[in-house]
Amino acid sequence: MSAEPTATSEKTQAAAPARAARQRPVTRYWQAVGAIAWKDLRAEIRSRELINSMVLFTLMTVMVFSLALELDSDARQNVVAGVLWVTVVFAGMLGFSRSLAAEHDRGSLDALLLAPIDRSALFFGKMIGNLLFVLVISFVLMLLLTVMFNISLIEPLLVVMLLLGSVGFTTIGTLIASMSVHARARETLLPILLLPVSLPLLISAVRGSAAILNEMPSEDWLPWIQLLAVADVIFLAAAYSLFGFIVEE
Amino acid sequence: MPDNIEYMYMGYAAMAIIMLAMIGWIYWRYRLAAHEEQLVDQFEAEERAERAAAGRAGARPVPEAGADAPAVVANSPLSEES
Amino acid sequence: MAYPSQRTRLLQGLTVATVVLFAIALYLALFWVGPERTQGEVQRVFYVHLGSFLGAFLSFTATVVAGIAYLRTRHPKWDTLGLASVEIGLGLSAITVITGMTWAKPIWNTWWTWDPRLTSVAIMWLAYAAYLMLRSGIEDPERQRRFAAVYGIIAFASVLFTIIIVRVRPDTIHPVVAGPTQADPTGSFDVTDRIRDTLFFNLFTFAVITAVLIWHRIRLENLVQRVSRRKMELLAEL
């Protein structure tokens, strides 16, 4: 717990008076965030390109898992948390690279950078768009696995787990995807960069979800939820203070 | 006391190999770069000699060229560094 | 070329001192301290195991410091420090993992197990390997430095994870040296005075080794960059 959180808190303190000096900073900031998220959402509602392919991808992944692992009912109980999270992670990665690559190729990110808004507002706008997308996939997966694996995944605790995991994963995913779009082999670089950093999240989420699904006592899943929450805060703070350095040009 | 001294040897051997690989890799790249720098030095010296010769040869028919050539060499960032 | 001769002499002296220190540390670990009662000779691996992890931890901390300093000052020297510390850290954590494996084989009866501690160290190693991939994937040098600094800071999350995972999740069989020990570690042992002294000497030695290796790696990087710059200039002139 040494250098990283200290640095981010210093950055936040430095940024705070600058923003307070501006007129009505809070509403402006969140308006910008909302506008960017809404822009992505509207484009997606119109084309339905990403969500259709992702739902199909999710369906196929679940089928591949059940065929490859030859799951009987006992085995399903044990691996369902892993199947859930691995599918979310892979589908999410496809989504992040699409969302940022489209922005980069059209050059619309450069146009957004010219707008007089805080760089981090740009980040949170993109991130909320991606988060909605990951949440839709998670929701579809919950229904799908409940039906196909015959295990009820619709539990409030698991929803909390999914929310916390998705927030952390989307934050770090959006941040890293905005770097990897500049690389030569961006499709291969994104998983290489993103997986090691998000594996702590993934492990906590899988272990925690498995404990919840197996109806273990709270001391078996509570530490994982706490770890997820701490990781979310660290990643959000890191993204808030670092995104400006990625997009500056 | 269990007899497992061969694993201790294995562990220390692995450490020695990685450590030596690290040092050797730095050393090898250093040698390579130093060698390259030598080549650059050599090439640069030849280049300068050539230019000086060309400048002296060009000085008789066109006086401006002779005055120009040394100035170019002096302005080049390479000559500043050496 | 540009280095003050004073500093070069300091580095040379430090290098010689490190070699001597390392020889003493090895003597202490291999001969001076007796074999541990329950684990036997293989316990001697532990000094190097912990020492190299300390070195890796210091290296990756240096990467974070270098990343923050680069983003603040934009001086390329910080980027050089970042690159050097990641490479040395990767080497040292490879030593940690491999010595750990040779210890685990007789004690745990397996080379590798998906224990939280071992898993998190593997993740840490992969994260810093990815750092090098990111560097080689970005062509524009200024952007390469900037992204490397950002990723070097983010990747430290995996180091933190390695350190806190055994506190959050005490179902690891990996012994914890510092801090509270969990219920059922496999392969912990009683620390005698000699073991403690040897351990501290090894930790100190590895910290010095890390610093000296990073220093040499920085010199190498400066030389490589100078040569490639001069080559470019020469080509531009032709």
PDB file of all heavy atoms in Angstrom, chain B residues 2 4 7-8 11-12 14-15 25 36-37 41 43-44 47 78, chain C residues 38-39 41-42 44 48 87 98 102 105 220 226 230-231 233-234 238:
ATOM      1  N   PRO B   2      15.162 -34.616   7.303  1.00  0.00           N
ATOM      2  CA  PRO B   2      14.987 -35.225   5.966  1.00  0.00           C
ATOM      3  C   PRO B   2      16.187 -34.967   5.064  1.00  0.00           C
ATOM      4  O   PRO B   2      16.858 -33.940   5.187  1.00  0.00           O
ATOM      5  CB  PRO B   2      13.736 -34.536   5.442  1.00  0.00           C
ATOM      6  CG  PRO B   2      13.638 -33.267   6.213  1.00  0.00           C
ATOM      7  CD  PRO B   2      14.246 -33.519   7.542  1.00  0.00           C
ATOM      8  N   ASN B   4      17.335 -33.898   1.811  1.00  0.00           N
ATOM      9  CA  ASN B   4      16.851 -33.254   0.574  1.00  0.00           C
ATOM     10  C   ASN B   4      17.877 -32.261   0.054  1.00  0.00           C
ATOM     11  O   ASN B   4      17.535 -31.230  -0.505  1.00  0.00           O
ATOM     12  CB  ASN B   4      15.504 -32.562   0.808  1.00  0.00           C
ATOM     13  CG  ASN B   4      15.509 -31.743   2.079  1.00  0.00           C
ATOM     14  OD1 ASN B   4      16.557 -31.269   2.518  1.00  0.00           O
ATOM     15  ND2 ASN B   4      14.352 -31.579   2.679  1.00  0.00           N
ATOM     16  N   TYR B   7      17.784 -30.875  -3.568  1.00  0.00           N
ATOM     17  CA  TYR B   7      16.877 -29.781  -3.920  1.00  0.00           C
ATOM     18  C   TYR B   7      17.490 -28.439  -3.572  1.00  0.00           C
ATOM     19  O   TYR B   7      17.258 -27.446  -4.255  1.00  0.00           O
ATOM     20  CB  TYR B   7      15.537 -29.958  -3.215  1.00  0.00           C
ATOM     21  CG  TYR B   7      14.739 -31.098  -3.780  1.00  0.00           C
ATOM     22  CD1 TYR B   7      14.666 -32.320  -3.131  1.00  0.00           C
ATOM     23  CD2 TYR B   7      14.092 -30.950  -5.001  1.00  0.00           C
ATOM     24  CE1 TYR B   7      13.954 -33.364  -3.669  1.00  0.00           C
ATOM     25  CE2 TYR B   7      13.371 -31.993  -5.547  1.00  0.00           C
ATOM     26  CZ  TYR B   7      13.309 -33.197  -4.881  1.00  0.00           C
ATOM     27  OH  TYR B   7      12.611 -34.216  -5.425  1.00  0.00           O
ATOM     28  N   MET B   8      18.291 -28.418  -2.497  1.00  0.00           N
ATOM     29  CA  MET B   8      18.978 -27.180  -2.159  1.00  0.00           C
ATOM     30  C   MET B   8      19.960 -26.809  -3.271  1.00  0.00           C
ATOM     31  O   MET B   8      20.000 -25.665  -3.717  1.00  0.00           O
ATOM     32  CB  MET B   8      19.716 -27.339  -0.839  1.00  0.00           C
ATOM     33  CG  MET B   8      20.351 -26.057  -0.368  1.00  0.00           C
ATOM     34  SD  MET B   8      21.723 -26.341   0.745  1.00  0.00           S
ATOM     35  CE  MET B   8      23.027 -26.714  -0.361  1.00  0.00           C
ATOM     36  N   GLY B  11      18.039 -25.441  -6.144  1.00  0.00           N
ATOM     37  CA  GLY B  11      17.579 -24.076  -5.925  1.00  0.00           C
ATOM     38  C   GLY B  11      18.693 -23.067  -6.129  1.00  0.00           C
ATOM     39  O   GLY B  11      18.516 -22.062  -6.827  1.00  0.00           O
ATOM     40  N   TYR B  12      19.850 -23.343  -5.536  1.00  0.00           N
ATOM     41  CA  TYR B  12      20.963 -22.393  -5.677  1.00  0.00           C
ATOM     42  C   TYR B  12      21.489 -22.356  -7.103  1.00  0.00           C
ATOM     43  O   TYR B  12      21.869 -21.295  -7.605  1.00  0.00           O
ATOM     44  CB  TYR B  12      22.069 -22.709  -4.673  1.00  0.00           C
ATOM     45  CG  TYR B  12      21.816 -22.035  -3.350  1.00  0.00           C
ATOM     46  CD1 TYR B  12      21.070 -22.662  -2.372  1.00  0.00           C
ATOM     47  CD2 TYR B  12      22.275 -20.749  -3.115  1.00  0.00           C
ATOM     48  CE1 TYR B  12      20.799 -22.033  -1.172  1.00  0.00           C
ATOM     49  CE2 TYR B  12      22.007 -20.110  -1.918  1.00  0.00           C
ATOM     50  CZ  TYR B  12      21.276 -20.757  -0.950  1.00  0.00           C
ATOM     51  OH  TYR B  12      20.994 -20.120   0.221  1.00  0.00           O
ATOM     52  N   ALA B  14      19.649 -22.810  -9.770  1.00  0.00           N
ATOM     53  CA  ALA B  14      18.674 -22.024 -10.537  1.00  0.00           C
ATOM     54  C   ALA B  14      18.908 -20.538 -10.303  1.00  0.00           C
ATOM     55  O   ALA B  14      18.904 -19.739 -11.252  1.00  0.00           O
ATOM     56  CB  ALA B  14      17.254 -22.406 -10.136  1.00  0.00           C
ATOM     57  N   MET B  15      19.166 -20.178  -9.028  1.00  0.00           N
ATOM     58  CA  MET B  15      19.417 -18.775  -8.740  1.00  0.00           C
ATOM     59  C   MET B  15      20.656 -18.288  -9.485  1.00  0.00           C
ATOM     60  O   MET B  15      20.655 -17.227 -10.100  1.00  0.00           O
ATOM     61  CB  MET B  15      19.615 -18.569  -7.245  1.00  0.00           C
ATOM     62  CG  MET B  15      19.838 -17.122  -6.898  1.00  0.00           C
ATOM     63  SD  MET B  15      20.880 -16.857  -5.474  1.00  0.00           S
ATOM     64  CE  MET B  15      22.407 -17.568  -5.976  1.00  0.00           C
ATOM     65  N   TRP B  25      23.460 -10.927 -19.862  1.00  0.00           N
ATOM     66  CA  TRP B  25      22.645 -10.274 -20.893  1.00  0.00           C
ATOM     67  C   TRP B  25      22.927  -8.783 -20.930  1.00  0.00           C
ATOM     68  O   TRP B  25      23.055  -8.165 -21.997  1.00  0.00           O
ATOM     69  CB  TRP B  25      21.180 -10.558 -20.577  1.00  0.00           C
ATOM     70  CG  TRP B  25      20.236 -10.006 -21.562  1.00  0.00           C
ATOM     71  CD1 TRP B  25      20.006 -10.481 -22.820  1.00  0.00           C
ATOM     72  CD2 TRP B  25      19.394  -8.873 -21.382  1.00  0.00           C
ATOM     73  NE1 TRP B  25      19.064  -9.698 -23.419  1.00  0.00           N
ATOM     74  CE2 TRP B  25      18.674  -8.717 -22.573  1.00  0.00           C
ATOM     75  CE3 TRP B  25      19.183  -7.983 -20.333  1.00  0.00           C
ATOM     76  CZ2 TRP B  25      17.747  -7.704 -22.737  1.00  0.00           C
ATOM     77  CZ3 TRP B  25      18.266  -6.970 -20.506  1.00  0.00           C
ATOM     78  CH2 TRP B  25      17.562  -6.841 -21.683  1.00  0.00           C
ATOM     79  N   GLU B  36      29.136  -0.994 -31.593  1.00  0.00           N
ATOM     80  CA  GLU B  36      28.432  -0.183 -32.586  1.00  0.00           C
ATOM     81  C   GLU B  36      28.861   1.272 -32.510  1.00  0.00           C
ATOM     82  O   GLU B  36      29.028   1.929 -33.529  1.00  0.00           O
ATOM     83  CB  GLU B  36      26.924  -0.286 -32.349  1.00  0.00           C
ATOM     84  CG  GLU B  36      26.215  -1.091 -33.420  1.00  0.00           C
ATOM     85  CD  GLU B  36      24.745  -1.189 -33.117  1.00  0.00           C
ATOM     86  OE1 GLU B  36      24.017  -0.281 -33.524  1.00  0.00           O
ATOM     87  OE2 GLU B  36      24.347  -2.161 -32.456  1.00  0.00           O
ATOM     88  N   GLU B  37      29.041   1.746 -31.275  1.00  0.00           N
ATOM     89  CA  GLU B  37      29.452   3.130 -31.132  1.00  0.00           C
ATOM     90  C   GLU B  37      30.830   3.343 -31.744  1.00  0.00           C
ATOM     91  O   GLU B  37      31.092   4.374 -32.367  1.00  0.00           O
ATOM     92  CB  GLU B  37      29.468   3.540 -29.658  1.00  0.00           C
ATOM     93  CG  GLU B  37      29.739   5.020 -29.501  1.00  0.00           C
ATOM     94  CD  GLU B  37      29.411   5.542 -28.127  1.00  0.00           C
ATOM     95  OE1 GLU B  37      29.858   4.906 -27.158  1.00  0.00           O
ATOM     96  OE2 GLU B  37      28.725   6.570 -28.040  1.00  0.00           O
ATOM     97  N   ASP B  41      31.835   5.990 -34.538  1.00  0.00           N
ATOM     98  CA  ASP B  41      32.974   6.897 -34.404  1.00  0.00           C
ATOM     99  C   ASP B  41      33.857   6.859 -35.643  1.00  0.00           C
ATOM    100  O   ASP B  41      34.217   7.891 -36.205  1.00  0.00           O
ATOM    101  CB  ASP B  41      33.833   6.487 -33.192  1.00  0.00           C
ATOM    102  CG  ASP B  41      33.247   7.022 -31.902  1.00  0.00           C
ATOM    103  OD1 ASP B  41      32.447   7.972 -31.986  1.00  0.00           O
ATOM    104  OD2 ASP B  41      33.581   6.468 -30.838  1.00  0.00           O
ATOM    105  N   PHE B  43      33.187   5.711 -38.631  1.00  0.00           N
ATOM    106  CA  PHE B  43      32.498   6.177 -39.826  1.00  0.00           C
ATOM    107  C   PHE B  43      32.481   7.694 -39.856  1.00  0.00           C
ATOM    108  O   PHE B  43      32.721   8.316 -40.890  1.00  0.00           O
ATOM    109  CB  PHE B  43      31.078   5.629 -39.798  1.00  0.00           C
ATOM    110  CG  PHE B  43      30.438   5.598 -41.142  1.00  0.00           C
ATOM    111  CD1 PHE B  43      30.766   4.598 -42.062  1.00  0.00           C
ATOM    112  CD2 PHE B  43      29.519   6.569 -41.496  1.00  0.00           C
ATOM    113  CE1 PHE B  43      30.179   4.577 -43.299  1.00  0.00           C
ATOM    114  CE2 PHE B  43      28.922   6.530 -42.746  1.00  0.00           C
ATOM    115  CZ  PHE B  43      29.250   5.540 -43.647  1.00  0.00           C
ATOM    116  N   GLU B  44      32.243   8.261 -38.685  1.00  0.00           N
ATOM    117  CA  GLU B  44      32.167   9.704 -38.574  1.00  0.00           C
ATOM    118  C   GLU B  44      33.507  10.354 -38.909  1.00  0.00           C
ATOM    119  O   GLU B  44      33.567  11.360 -39.611  1.00  0.00           O
ATOM    120  CB  GLU B  44      31.815  10.029 -37.128  1.00  0.00           C
ATOM    121  CG  GLU B  44      30.818  11.117 -36.968  1.00  0.00           C
ATOM    122  CD  GLU B  44      30.527  11.249 -35.500  1.00  0.00           C
ATOM    123  OE1 GLU B  44      31.300  11.895 -34.794  1.00  0.00           O
ATOM    124  OE2 GLU B  44      29.539  10.658 -35.083  1.00  0.00           O
ATOM    125  N   GLU B  47      34.078  10.223 -42.555  1.00  0.00           N
ATOM    126  CA  GLU B  47      33.201  11.205 -43.185  1.00  0.00           C
ATOM    127  C   GLU B  47      33.813  12.595 -43.106  1.00  0.00           C
ATOM    128  O   GLU B  47      33.860  13.350 -44.077  1.00  0.00           O
ATOM    129  CB  GLU B  47      31.852  11.169 -42.459  1.00  0.00           C
ATOM    130  CG  GLU B  47      30.782  12.009 -43.103  1.00  0.00           C
ATOM    131  CD  GLU B  47      30.200  11.315 -44.310  1.00  0.00           C
ATOM    132  OE1 GLU B  47      30.642  10.189 -44.626  1.00  0.00           O
ATOM    133  OE2 GLU B  47      29.335  11.901 -44.939  1.00  0.00           O
ATOM    134  N   LEU B  78      27.231  15.969 -34.299  1.00  0.00           N
ATOM    135  CA  LEU B  78      28.151  14.873 -34.028  1.00  0.00           C
ATOM    136  C   LEU B  78      29.486  15.394 -33.531  1.00  0.00           C
ATOM    137  O   LEU B  78      30.065  14.871 -32.596  1.00  0.00           O
ATOM    138  CB  LEU B  78      28.387  14.068 -35.302  1.00  0.00           C
ATOM    139  CG  LEU B  78      27.136  13.428 -35.875  1.00  0.00           C
ATOM    140  CD1 LEU B  78      27.459  12.767 -37.189  1.00  0.00           C
ATOM    141  CD2 LEU B  78      26.574  12.424 -34.897  1.00  0.00           C
TER     142      LEU B  78
ATOM    143  N   THR C  38      13.581 -29.492  11.119  1.00  0.00           N
ATOM    144  CA  THR C  38      12.490 -30.270  10.525  1.00  0.00           C
ATOM    145  C   THR C  38      12.565 -30.331   9.007  1.00  0.00           C
ATOM    146  O   THR C  38      12.056 -31.269   8.404  1.00  0.00           O
ATOM    147  CB  THR C  38      11.135 -29.668  10.926  1.00  0.00           C
ATOM    148  OG1 THR C  38      11.190 -28.262  10.661  1.00  0.00           O
ATOM    149  CG2 THR C  38      10.850 -29.909  12.379  1.00  0.00           C
ATOM    150  N   GLN C  39      13.180 -29.325   8.387  1.00  0.00           N
ATOM    151  CA  GLN C  39      13.140 -29.296   6.922  1.00  0.00           C
ATOM    152  C   GLN C  39      14.433 -29.750   6.274  1.00  0.00           C
ATOM    153  O   GLN C  39      14.447 -30.055   5.078  1.00  0.00           O
ATOM    154  CB  GLN C  39      12.805 -27.880   6.425  1.00  0.00           C
ATOM    155  CG  GLN C  39      11.391 -27.495   6.732  1.00  0.00           C
ATOM    156  CD  GLN C  39      11.054 -26.156   6.157  1.00  0.00           C
ATOM    157  OE1 GLN C  39      11.699 -25.678   5.236  1.00  0.00           O
ATOM    158  NE2 GLN C  39      10.020 -25.540   6.684  1.00  0.00           N
ATOM    159  N   GLU C  41      18.322 -29.620   4.734  1.00  0.00           N
ATOM    160  CA  GLU C  41      19.191 -28.714   3.983  1.00  0.00           C
ATOM    161  C   GLU C  41      18.422 -27.773   3.066  1.00  0.00           C
ATOM    162  O   GLU C  41      18.850 -26.648   2.817  1.00  0.00           O
ATOM    163  CB  GLU C  41      20.180 -29.535   3.138  1.00  0.00           C
ATOM    164  CG  GLU C  41      21.088 -30.452   3.937  1.00  0.00           C
ATOM    165  CD  GLU C  41      22.180 -29.690   4.677  1.00  0.00           C
ATOM    166  OE1 GLU C  41      22.331 -28.497   4.391  1.00  0.00           O
ATOM    167  OE2 GLU C  41      22.841 -30.297   5.525  1.00  0.00           O
ATOM    168  N   VAL C  42      17.279 -28.229   2.546  1.00  0.00           N
ATOM    169  CA  VAL C  42      16.573 -27.434   1.535  1.00  0.00           C
ATOM    170  C   VAL C  42      16.099 -26.099   2.112  1.00  0.00           C
ATOM    171  O   VAL C  42      15.862 -25.151   1.379  1.00  0.00           O
ATOM    172  CB  VAL C  42      15.397 -28.229   0.937  1.00  0.00           C
ATOM    173  CG1 VAL C  42      14.206 -28.233   1.870  1.00  0.00           C
ATOM    174  CG2 VAL C  42      15.002 -27.662  -0.415  1.00  0.00           C
ATOM    175  N   ARG C  44      17.770 -23.929   3.342  1.00  0.00           N
ATOM    176  CA  ARG C  44      18.730 -22.865   2.998  1.00  0.00           C
ATOM    177  C   ARG C  44      18.300 -22.053   1.779  1.00  0.00           C
ATOM    178  O   ARG C  44      18.759 -20.930   1.587  1.00  0.00           O
ATOM    179  CB  ARG C  44      20.099 -23.477   2.722  1.00  0.00           C
ATOM    180  CG  ARG C  44      20.729 -24.178   3.904  1.00  0.00           C
ATOM    181  CD  ARG C  44      22.070 -24.732   3.482  1.00  0.00           C
ATOM    182  NE  ARG C  44      22.628 -25.674   4.442  1.00  0.00           N
ATOM    183  CZ  ARG C  44      23.286 -25.309   5.536  1.00  0.00           C
ATOM    184  NH1 ARG C  44      23.457 -24.037   5.804  1.00  0.00           N
ATOM    185  NH2 ARG C  44      23.765 -26.217   6.352  1.00  0.00           N
ATOM    186  N   VAL C  48      17.598 -17.010  -0.059  1.00  0.00           N
ATOM    187  CA  VAL C  48      17.638 -16.434  -1.397  1.00  0.00           C
ATOM    188  C   VAL C  48      16.218 -16.128  -1.883  1.00  0.00           C
ATOM    189  O   VAL C  48      15.970 -15.117  -2.531  1.00  0.00           O
ATOM    190  CB  VAL C  48      18.325 -17.421  -2.360  1.00  0.00           C
ATOM    191  CG1 VAL C  48      18.363 -16.851  -3.751  1.00  0.00           C
ATOM    192  CG2 VAL C  48      19.715 -17.727  -1.884  1.00  0.00           C
ATOM    193  N   GLU C  87      12.845  -4.749 -15.776  1.00  0.00           N
ATOM    194  CA  GLU C  87      13.620  -5.907 -16.237  1.00  0.00           C
ATOM    195  C   GLU C  87      14.314  -6.610 -15.083  1.00  0.00           C
ATOM    196  O   GLU C  87      14.289  -7.834 -14.977  1.00  0.00           O
ATOM    197  CB  GLU C  87      14.636  -5.462 -17.288  1.00  0.00           C
ATOM    198  CG  GLU C  87      13.988  -5.362 -18.655  1.00  0.00           C
ATOM    199  CD  GLU C  87      14.992  -4.999 -19.718  1.00  0.00           C
ATOM    200  OE1 GLU C  87      16.201  -4.922 -19.410  1.00  0.00           O
ATOM    201  OE2 GLU C  87      14.553  -4.790 -20.854  1.00  0.00           O
ATOM    202  N   ILE C  98      11.409 -19.737  -8.839  1.00  0.00           N
ATOM    203  CA  ILE C  98      12.088 -21.016  -9.082  1.00  0.00           C
ATOM    204  C   ILE C  98      12.685 -21.578  -7.790  1.00  0.00           C
ATOM    205  O   ILE C  98      12.579 -22.778  -7.533  1.00  0.00           O
ATOM    206  CB  ILE C  98      13.146 -20.846 -10.186  1.00  0.00           C
ATOM    207  CG1 ILE C  98      12.398 -20.550 -11.486  1.00  0.00           C
ATOM    208  CG2 ILE C  98      13.996 -22.097 -10.323  1.00  0.00           C
ATOM    209  CD1 ILE C  98      13.177 -20.646 -12.722  1.00  0.00           C
ATOM    210  N   THR C 102      11.777 -25.264  -6.000  1.00  0.00           N
ATOM    211  CA  THR C 102      12.686 -26.324  -5.562  1.00  0.00           C
ATOM    212  C   THR C 102      12.506 -26.605  -4.064  1.00  0.00           C
ATOM    213  O   THR C 102      12.765 -27.710  -3.616  1.00  0.00           O
ATOM    214  CB  THR C 102      14.153 -25.949  -5.838  1.00  0.00           C
ATOM    215  OG1 THR C 102      14.427 -24.715  -5.186  1.00  0.00           O
ATOM    216  CG2 THR C 102      14.418 -25.811  -7.305  1.00  0.00           C
ATOM    217  N   LYS C 105       9.012 -28.752  -3.697  1.00  0.00           N
ATOM    218  CA  LYS C 105       8.999 -30.159  -4.115  1.00  0.00           C
ATOM    219  C   LYS C 105       9.222 -31.111  -2.938  1.00  0.00           C
ATOM    220  O   LYS C 105       8.407 -32.004  -2.703  1.00  0.00           O
ATOM    221  CB  LYS C 105      10.030 -30.371  -5.233  1.00  0.00           C
ATOM    222  CG  LYS C 105      10.054 -31.770  -5.816  1.00  0.00           C
ATOM    223  CD  LYS C 105       8.723 -32.155  -6.421  1.00  0.00           C
ATOM    224  CE  LYS C 105       8.763 -33.592  -6.905  1.00  0.00           C
ATOM    225  NZ  LYS C 105       7.424 -34.131  -7.166  1.00  0.00           N
ATOM    226  N   LEU C 220      23.454   0.840 -19.469  1.00  0.00           N
ATOM    227  CA  LEU C 220      23.308   0.156 -20.754  1.00  0.00           C
ATOM    228  C   LEU C 220      22.281   0.881 -21.618  1.00  0.00           C
ATOM    229  O   LEU C 220      22.528   1.148 -22.804  1.00  0.00           O
ATOM    230  CB  LEU C 220      22.865  -1.290 -20.516  1.00  0.00           C
ATOM    231  CG  LEU C 220      22.350  -2.029 -21.751  1.00  0.00           C
ATOM    232  CD1 LEU C 220      23.448  -2.197 -22.771  1.00  0.00           C
ATOM    233  CD2 LEU C 220      21.770  -3.375 -21.370  1.00  0.00           C
ATOM    234  N   ARG C 226      22.107   6.395 -26.910  1.00  0.00           N
ATOM    235  CA  ARG C 226      23.048   7.328 -27.523  1.00  0.00           C
ATOM    236  C   ARG C 226      23.514   6.794 -28.876  1.00  0.00           C
ATOM    237  O   ARG C 226      23.575   7.528 -29.854  1.00  0.00           O
ATOM    238  CB  ARG C 226      24.240   7.547 -26.595  1.00  0.00           C
ATOM    239  CG  ARG C 226      25.097   8.713 -27.036  1.00  0.00           C
ATOM    240  CD  ARG C 226      26.198   8.983 -26.044  1.00  0.00           C
ATOM    241  NE  ARG C 226      27.143   7.898 -25.980  1.00  0.00           N
ATOM    242  CZ  ARG C 226      27.614   7.381 -24.842  1.00  0.00           C
ATOM    243  NH1 ARG C 226      27.194   7.839 -23.687  1.00  0.00           N
ATOM    244  NH2 ARG C 226      28.478   6.394 -24.870  1.00  0.00           N
ATOM    245  N   ARG C 230      22.966   8.570 -32.465  1.00  0.00           N
ATOM    246  CA  ARG C 230      24.075   8.949 -33.348  1.00  0.00           C
ATOM    247  C   ARG C 230      23.938   8.300 -34.706  1.00  0.00           C
ATOM    248  O   ARG C 230      24.281   8.901 -35.726  1.00  0.00           O
ATOM    249  CB  ARG C 230      25.403   8.559 -32.694  1.00  0.00           C
ATOM    250  CG  ARG C 230      25.752   9.459 -31.526  1.00  0.00           C
ATOM    251  CD  ARG C 230      27.089   9.127 -30.953  1.00  0.00           C
ATOM    252  NE  ARG C 230      28.170   9.348 -31.901  1.00  0.00           N
ATOM    253  CZ  ARG C 230      29.438   9.081 -31.655  1.00  0.00           C
ATOM    254  NH1 ARG C 230      29.775   8.555 -30.490  1.00  0.00           N
ATOM    255  NH2 ARG C 230      30.352   9.292 -32.548  1.00  0.00           N
ATOM    256  N   LYS C 231      23.441   7.069 -34.716  1.00  0.00           N
ATOM    257  CA  LYS C 231      23.242   6.407 -36.012  1.00  0.00           C
ATOM    258  C   LYS C 231      22.221   7.156 -36.859  1.00  0.00           C
ATOM    259  O   LYS C 231      22.403   7.347 -38.057  1.00  0.00           O
ATOM    260  CB  LYS C 231      22.774   4.960 -35.794  1.00  0.00           C
ATOM    261  CG  LYS C 231      23.926   3.972 -35.737  1.00  0.00           C
ATOM    262  CD  LYS C 231      23.487   2.590 -36.109  1.00  0.00           C
ATOM    263  CE  LYS C 231      22.775   1.905 -34.989  1.00  0.00           C
ATOM    264  NZ  LYS C 231      22.630   0.478 -35.098  1.00  0.00           N
ATOM    265  N   GLU C 233      21.495  10.299 -36.672  1.00  0.00           N
ATOM    266  CA  GLU C 233      22.071  11.562 -37.122  1.00  0.00           C
ATOM    267  C   GLU C 233      22.987  11.338 -38.316  1.00  0.00           C
ATOM    268  O   GLU C 233      22.986  12.107 -39.275  1.00  0.00           O
ATOM    269  CB  GLU C 233      22.850  12.208 -35.974  1.00  0.00           C
ATOM    270  CG  GLU C 233      21.947  12.902 -34.979  1.00  0.00           C
ATOM    271  CD  GLU C 233      22.671  13.288 -33.704  1.00  0.00           C
ATOM    272  OE1 GLU C 233      23.877  12.970 -33.579  1.00  0.00           O
ATOM    273  OE2 GLU C 233      22.029  13.909 -32.852  1.00  0.00           O
ATOM    274  N   LEU C 234      23.735  10.250 -38.218  1.00  0.00           N
ATOM    275  CA  LEU C 234      24.667   9.949 -39.301  1.00  0.00           C
ATOM    276  C   LEU C 234      23.916   9.657 -40.588  1.00  0.00           C
ATOM    277  O   LEU C 234      24.281  10.128 -41.671  1.00  0.00           O
ATOM    278  CB  LEU C 234      25.503   8.730 -38.893  1.00  0.00           C
ATOM    279  CG  LEU C 234      26.898   8.636 -39.470  1.00  0.00           C
ATOM    280  CD1 LEU C 234      27.705   9.842 -39.063  1.00  0.00           C
ATOM    281  CD2 LEU C 234      27.566   7.369 -38.981  1.00  0.00           C
ATOM    282  N   LEU C 238      23.759  11.752 -44.388  1.00  0.00           N
ATOM    283  CA  LEU C 238      24.198  11.186 -45.675  1.00  0.00           C
ATOM    284  C   LEU C 238      23.251  11.552 -46.822  1.00  0.00           C
ATOM    285  O   LEU C 238      22.061  11.640 -46.634  1.00  0.00           O
ATOM    286  CB  LEU C 238      24.294   9.669 -45.572  1.00  0.00           C
ATOM    287  CG  LEU C 238      25.469   9.166 -44.720  1.00  0.00           C
ATOM    288  CD1 LEU C 238      25.455   7.660 -44.632  1.00  0.00           C
ATOM    289  CD2 LEU C 238      26.789   9.658 -45.299  1.00  0.00           C
TER     290      LEU C 238
END
